[in-house]
């Protein structure tokens, strides 16, 4: 009887959580549609209320735009600083400091790095720019090592493993991805490439065979993982990564006895290419991180691989997305895993791998890690580019459709909201305010995603069109003036975006004429169109589908 009672209690709890989850799924879409529809109804009787809402929202977005541009500038400067460093050399010098080698002072001095204290003082007149940089790096390394509770492991103990899920990607695209891994600065004997294909994907299997022949010599191992598509999963990248992660843990840890804490796994999209210094820089950040075993490391995606071959609006969307990630990297509370990122195989195993029942692979893995470790976990920004493709399909209109569908798949991350709320309730050991602010931020980002361009561009005209009499009042006459003034001030942010993108984007093709070059700058005038069709509408589409129970299926974005 007791067993039957316990079984009934478990079933009751599951039913209760199922209904709670369904209710929470309906909340984001309900709020977004309410914000978009209520101003139309309120404009008949309370136009002043709509006006104040629109002005407050516009002022919020003006502040956010200026904040955004400032953060992008900071991120750009940090990226430049990181790219100026030889991270292989710096990692070697860090090893010397960590090991307390007796000849460190002599070696550093011989390299031209003056230092104060035990290394002596060099007159400023004899110190060049390179010397000052190395001195600053040396002092930063000493400071970060001093902040660690114990000396870090040796970099020589670490293995870098790139895990690449692929389905429908061409051999040429995979060749660029694997070639970048092969050329990345890290010892061959401690670099592994693993590619996941479906068991039924004959083309993908043949591609892996060719890639192994071409690049196998550049890796300690070139592993091919066949995904059987287990019953009951949501087919997509997340479930493929889950199968690949479990396979690698079994092969490397259980069968070979390797230390999962010393294996850094990079979740690498099939069109992403790592920077030559990526592994060395990642290792340095990891070794100097006091919480290295509970962290996720997020580089900044530059969607520049095919930027000048992509249609104009796709180029613009890729530019905005790049700088959005730059902004998030400066604000740790906004940063989550996106696209490609790195962590230890130990963390991957400890959090239960990637989700097999979700489409938003990146964010769901982030939330699983947060609820496993609480405030000990965070996404650590890596101020180094990782290069991806802009959307470019086989034709212009097909490219437009693919961009919309990709944005809608990303917006399907709104399904994280029920998951996060349910787990926030189930994990009282995590501080309340930590859970509260994360839930609030997640809600705010998805609601903003669905309504912001509509409200900013059309909000000021709604009460005037619906209630012409309101246009004769002082507030009604000033509403469009105030709104347009704030939008004009926001152009400062747009100017920053244009300048930064010009500095980080690859050179324009040499065979481009003056018209194409001018259009590559004029394209920024299409930003409102991009905001509506590649941000607003996909997010609203995703939230409406979730509201009405029409769940999305995973779809690979076509990138020619």
């Amino acid at each position: 009887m007791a067993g039957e009672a316990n079984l009934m209690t478990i079933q009751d709890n599951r039913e209760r959580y199922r209904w709670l989850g369904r209710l929470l799924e309906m909340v984001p879409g309900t709020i977004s549609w309410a914000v978009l529809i209520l101003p139309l109804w309120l404009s008949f009787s309370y136009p002043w209320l709509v006006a104040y809402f629109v002005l407050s929202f516009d002022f919020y977005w003006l502040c956010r735009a200026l904040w955004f541009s400032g953060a992008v500038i900071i991120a750009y400067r940090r990226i430049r600083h990181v790219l100026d460093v030889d991270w292989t050399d710096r990692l070697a010098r860090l090893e010397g400091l960590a090991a307390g080698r007796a000849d460190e002072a002599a070696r550093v001095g011989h390299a031209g790095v003056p230092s104060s204290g035990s290394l002596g003082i060099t007159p400023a007149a004899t110190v060049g720019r390179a010397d000052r940089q190395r001195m600053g790096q040396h002092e930063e390394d000493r400071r970060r090592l001093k902040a660690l509770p114990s000396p870090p492991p040796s970099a020589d103990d670490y293995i870098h493993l790139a895990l690449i899920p692929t389905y429908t990607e061409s051999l040429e695209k995979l060749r660029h991805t694997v070639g970048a891994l092969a050329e990345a600065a890290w010892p061959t004997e401690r670099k592994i490439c693993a590619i996941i294909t479906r068991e039924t994907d004959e083309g993908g299997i043949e591609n892996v065979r060719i890639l192994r022949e071409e690049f196998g010599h550049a890796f300690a191992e070139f592993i091919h993982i066949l995904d059987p598509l287990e019953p009951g999963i949501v087919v997509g990248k997340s479930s493929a990564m889950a199968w690949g992660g479990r396979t690698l843990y079994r092969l490397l840890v259980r069968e070979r006895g390797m230390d999962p804490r010393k294996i850094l796994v990079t979740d690498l999209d099939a069109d992403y290419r790592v920077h030559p210094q990526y592994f060395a820089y990642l290792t340095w950040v990891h070794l100097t991180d006091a919480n290295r075993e509970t962290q996720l490391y997020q580089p900044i995606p530059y969607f520049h691989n095919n930027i000048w071959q992509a249609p104009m609006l796709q180029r613009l969307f890729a530019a905005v997305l790049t700088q959005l990630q730059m902004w998030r990297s400066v604000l740790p509370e906004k940063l989550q895993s996106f696209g490609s990122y790195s962590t230890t195989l130990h963390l991957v195993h400890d959090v239960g791998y990637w989700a097999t029942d979700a489409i938003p692979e990146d964010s769901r893995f982030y939330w699983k890690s947060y609820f496993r470790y609480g405030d000990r976990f965070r996404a650590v920004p890596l101020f180094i580019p990782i290069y991806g493709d802009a959307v470019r399909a086989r034709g212009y209109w097909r490219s437009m459709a693919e961009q919309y569908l990709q944005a809608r798949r990303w917006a399907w991350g709104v399904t994280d909201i029920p998951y996060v709320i349910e787990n926030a309730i189930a994990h009282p050991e995590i501080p309340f305010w930590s859970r509260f602010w994360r839930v609030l931020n997640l809600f705010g980002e998805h609601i903003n995603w669905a309504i912001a361009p509509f409200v900013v561009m059309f909000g000021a005209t709604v009460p005037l069109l619906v209630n012409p009499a309101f246009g004769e009042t002082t507030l009604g006459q000033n509403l469009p003036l105030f709104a347009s003034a704030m939008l004009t001030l926001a152009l400062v942010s747009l100017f920053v975006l244009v300048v930064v993108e010009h500095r980080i984007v690859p050179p324009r093709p040499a065979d481009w004429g003056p018209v194409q070059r001018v259009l590559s700058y004029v394209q920024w005038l299409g930003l409102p169109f991009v905001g509506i069709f590649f941000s607003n509408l996909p997010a609203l589409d995703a939230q409406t589908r979730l509201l009405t129970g029409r769940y999305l299926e995973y779809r690979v974005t076509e990138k020619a």
Side-chain angles (χ1 to χ4, degrees):
M1 294 294 292
E4 292 180 2
N6 289 334
L7 181 60
M8 292 181 61
T9 301
I10 293 173
Q11 291 175 341
D12 289 343
N13 287 337
R14 286 177 178 173
E15 187 69 13
R16 190 180 301 115
Y17 273 106
R18 188 177 70 83
W19 280 106
L20 174 61
R22 183 69 191 108
L23 180 64
L24 292 174
E25 286 179 347
M26 300 171 68
V27 171
T30 301
I31 294 175
S32 294
W33 278 111
V35 172
L36 294 175
I37 294 174
L38 277 177
L40 295 172
W41 176 70
L42 291 173
S43 292
F44 288 104
S45 303
Y46 304 97
W48 58 270
L49 186 61
V50 177
Y52 282 125
F53 165 72
V54 170
L55 290 176
S56 300
F57 195 83
D58 286 352
F59 180 73
Y60 162 75
W61 270 94
L62 169 62
C63 296
R64 183 161 172 153
L66 298 176
W67 175 34
F68 183 93
S69 60
V72 167
I73 292 173
I74 293 171
Y76 170 68
R77 292 174 63 88
R78 291 180 181 176
I79 293 168
R80 287 189 60 185
H81 172 73
V82 167
L83 296 184
D84 281 342
V85 177
D86 181 344
W87 288 100
T88 301
D89 176 66
R90 186 165 180 181
L91 194 58
R93 287 187 277 127
L94 180 73
E95 287 280 289
L97 284 173
R101 295 174 182 169
D103 63 342
E104 178 62 16
R107 188 178 70 81
V108 173
H110 178 70
V113 182
S115 176
S116 59
S118 62
L119 298 182
I121 300 176
T122 301
T126 67
V127 178
R129 179 176 178 272
D131 295 327
R132 288 195 297 272
Q133 285 181 335
R134 290 171 66 87
M135 181 194 304
Q137 294 168 11
H138 185 76
E139 290 304 317
E140 182 184 3
D141 290 349
R142 289 171 63 92
R143 184 172 63 255
R144 294 187 67 142
L145 288 175
K146 187 177 180 180
L148 297 177
S150 61
S154 171
D156 294 338
D157 296 335
Y158 277 84
I159 293 171
H160 281 279
L161 189 161
L163 184 56
I164 308 169
T166 177
Y167 181 65
T168 73
E169 284 84 9
S170 67
L171 174 61
E172 191 62 27
K173 192 174 298 295
L174 290 169
R175 183 177 280 125
H176 285 300
T177 299
V178 177
L181 291 170
E183 295 173 4
W186 196 254
T188 299
E189 64 273 13
R190 290 187 281 116
K191 190 162 54 173
I192 298 174
C193 178
I195 301 181
I196 309 167
T197 65
R198 297 180 186 178
E199 285 184 343
T200 56
D201 184 8
E202 295 181 1
I205 292 171
E206 176 63 15
N207 287 344
V208 175
R209 184 192 65 79
I210 295 172
L211 292 169
R212 180 186 279 124
E213 290 181 357
E214 294 181 6
F215 298 104
H217 65 279
F219 301 94
E221 286 192 77
F222 200 108
I223 302 172
H224 184 194
I225 301 171
L226 293 172
D227 182 4
L229 299 183
E230 297 174 290
I233 66 169
V234 174
V235 176
K237 180 188 173 184
S238 188
S239 58
M241 291 294 292
W243 178 265
R246 293 197 302 269
T247 300
L248 289 170
Y249 193 88
R250 182 181 66 251
L251 174 66
L252 302 178
V253 179
R254 291 186 178 139
E255 295 181 8
R256 302 185 188 176
M258 299 169 68
D259 186 352
R261 291 177 172 82
K262 304 293 178 60
I263 300 175
L264 285 169
V265 179
T266 297
D267 173 347
L268 194 64
D269 280 0
D271 63 308
Y272 276 43
R273 307 172 195 174
V274 298
H275 188 277
Q277 291 280 334
Y278 180 76
F279 291 143
Y281 174 55
L282 167 62
T283 306
W284 181 87
V285 174
H286 180 73
L287 291 178
T288 57
D289 190 335
N291 297 317
R292 68 179 73 90
E293 293 186 3
T294 58
Q295 307 290 54
L296 177 148
Y297 301 97
Q298 177 64 59
I300 297 177
Y302 280 13
F303 297 96
H304 292 164
N305 289 341
N306 61 343
I307 191 71
W308 301 124
Q309 289 75 46
M312 182 184 297
L313 292 177
Q314 276 65 41
R315 289 204 303 263
L316 183 55
F317 183 80
V320 173
L321 190 58
T322 292
Q323 296 188 34
L324 180 65
Q325 287 302 115
M326 294 171 70
W327 169 68
R328 287 174 174 164
S329 294
V330 176
L331 306 166
E333 70 277 6
K334 297 287 186 182
L335 186 62
Q336 294 184 15
S337 47
F338 177 81
S340 293
Y341 47 90
S342 301
T343 189
T344 65
L345 186 57
H346 168 73
L347 183 145
V348 170
H349 172 72
D350 199 36
V351 303
Y353 304 95
W354 289 265
T356 59
D357 59 351
I359 288 178
E361 165 263 339
D362 306 327
S363 57
R364 186 59 59 87
F365 184 80
Y366 172 90
W367 290 114
K368 287 185 70 173
S369 303
Y370 170 71
F371 288 115
R372 172 65 181 87
Y373 298 114
D375 284 341
R376 290 182 296 153
F377 170 81
R378 70 186 183 100
V380 177
L382 296 179
F383 290 96
I384 192 169
I386 189 165
Y387 304 96
D389 285 2
V391 171
R392 173 176 171 260
R394 285 169 288 179
Y396 178 80
W397 292 109
R398 191 177 181 90
S399 296
M400 297 281 284
E402 289 292 329
Q403 186 68 83
Y404 177 91
L405 294 173
Q406 183 191 60
R408 187 181 66 179
R409 173 162 57 83
W410 288 341
W412 195 246
V414 70
T415 55
D416 286 334
I417 290 177
Y419 175 85
V420 170
I421 292 178
E422 289 175 13
N423 278 276
I425 296 171
H427 288 273
E429 74 279 4
I430 301 175
F432 171 78
W433 288 111
S434 173
R435 290 174 286 149
F436 175 80
W437 287 116
R438 277 174 168 78
V439 170
L440 188 64
N441 180 67
L442 183 63
F443 249 113
E445 289 298 316
H446 278 283
I447 300 302
N448 263 316
W449 194 347
I451 69 170
F454 274 144
V455 175
V456 169
M457 285 188 279
F458 306 120
T461 63
V462 169
L464 301 177
L465 292 175
V466 174
N467 191 342
F470 176 64
E472 300 176 4
T473 66
T474 302
L475 179 58
Q477 292 174 353
N478 287 324
L479 174 60
L481 298 178
F482 291 152
S484 61
M486 285 187 278
L487 290 177
T488 302
L489 287 174
L491 290 177
V492 174
S493 175
L494 179 60
F495 176 74
V496 170
L497 301 188
V498 174
V499 172
V500 171
E501 182 66 12
H502 172 71
R503 294 194 174 192
I504 65 176
V505 80
R508 288 160 177 78
D511 59 348
W512 271 22
V515 175
Q516 287 175 298
R517 293 180 181 274
V518 170
L519 285 177
S520 68
Y521 293 101
V522 176
Q523 68 183 16
W524 288 90
L525 296 177
L527 197 58
F529 183 92
V530 168
I532 292 291
F533 287 94
F534 296 148
S535 177
N536 225 152
L537 290 178
L540 199 58
D541 186 353
Q543 292 181 22
T544 303
R545 283 174 171 271
L546 190 62
L547 171 65
T548 56
R550 295 180 296 122
Y551 297 104
L552 204 63
E553 292 184 1
Y554 186 87
R555 185 178 181 278
V556 178
T557 302
E558 179 185 336
K559 295 183 180 179

